[in-house]
Amino acid sequence: LFEERVASCPDAPAVRHDGRSLTYAALEARANRLANHLRTLGVGPNVLVALCVERSFEMVVGLLAIAKAGGAYLPMDPAYPAERLRFMLEDAAPAALIIHARTAGSLPATAVPVLDLDADAEGIAAHPDHAPDGTANCSHLAYVLYTSGSTGQPKGIAVPHRAVTRLVVDTNYVTLGPADVLAQISNASFDAATFEVWGALLHGARLVIIPKEVILAPRDLAAAIERHRVTTLFLTTSLFNQVAREAPAAFRGVRECLFGGEAAEPRWVREVLEHEPPERLLHVYGPTEATTFASW
């Protein structure tokens, strides 16, 4: 599905971050080189690859490359405690761990083979920029996410490709297309990132990565939404409430604003609806096991 978008809009911007953009063609080429490198490491269908990078071009390239190699990605937040990261690596036993220089110091010692996108850049770049053969089908794993678990012990939730396409392709709750701009706000270890990343890339839309410091400052977030002309975004309920409290008109110009993960508070919904609201405001819910959104 992504490669069809590359063929139809190669020069369209796919990802924007820190004032720079990657076109669909450039993203495809970078992901293919990394995917071909991963194939030499034995990555294929249902083979896990851990990805511990900051939200950046490298994150999107890594997610796409792992899928192109046929594998399944295991996103790991570099800000997590070392004990949690160690548990995830030991429990999931990925075939490889992708990092970049900025996250190397966050990781515990591990026997998992490490691929450093900075230190190994020359070797990765030597691979061809065409897609590898033998990619996964709809029943193979797309990713594994670790939740806290009802007992507090992390547990890995395995999600197949068909669940991702169910979430963002031919849906009845949101409309996505090449003219859209989706804000990338969620941590990659949180399943809302599935909606953001694949919702954009499978429709030829633009994914705009919003820096963490901007997300945590409602007025700055409102300015970023307006500056990037964001049409679609998802916020956790707690973040939505904070924005409603400090910058209730933040979503003017947004076509579809989704929020969820916790019970809605009518007070803050009303505040947004009374201050230049988005065209559509959706409260969504779904556990990780149901692939991001199960109801709206």
Side-chain angles (χ1 to χ4, degrees), residues 186-234:
S186 303
N187 185 314
S189 297
F190 178 44
D191 65 350
T194 307
F195 169 78
E196 296 169 338
V197 173
W198 301 114
L201 298 185
L202 300 189
H203 291 90
R206 183 185 311 180
L207 182 70
V208 176
I209 299 175
I210 308 294
K212 185 176 182 179
E213 62 272 17
V214 172
I215 296 168
L216 298 178
R219 290 183 177 83
D220 292 344
L221 177 58
I225 291 170
E226 184 175 15
R227 182 170 66 256
H228 293 295
R229 299 182 180 179
V230 170
T231 64
T232 309
L233 78 162
F234 168 83

Side-chain angles (χ1 to χ4, degrees), residues 2 5 14-15 24 27 60 64 197-205 207:
F2 173 77
R5 291 300 173 182
V15 187
Y24 271 82
L27 176 58
V60 181
L64 187 56
V197 173
W198 301 114
L201 298 185
L202 300 189
H203 291 90
L207 182 70

Side-chain angles (χ1 to χ4, degrees), residues 20 35 47 89 104 126 130 225 264:
R20 298 177 298 132
V47 173
L89 289 171
H130 60 72
I225 291 170

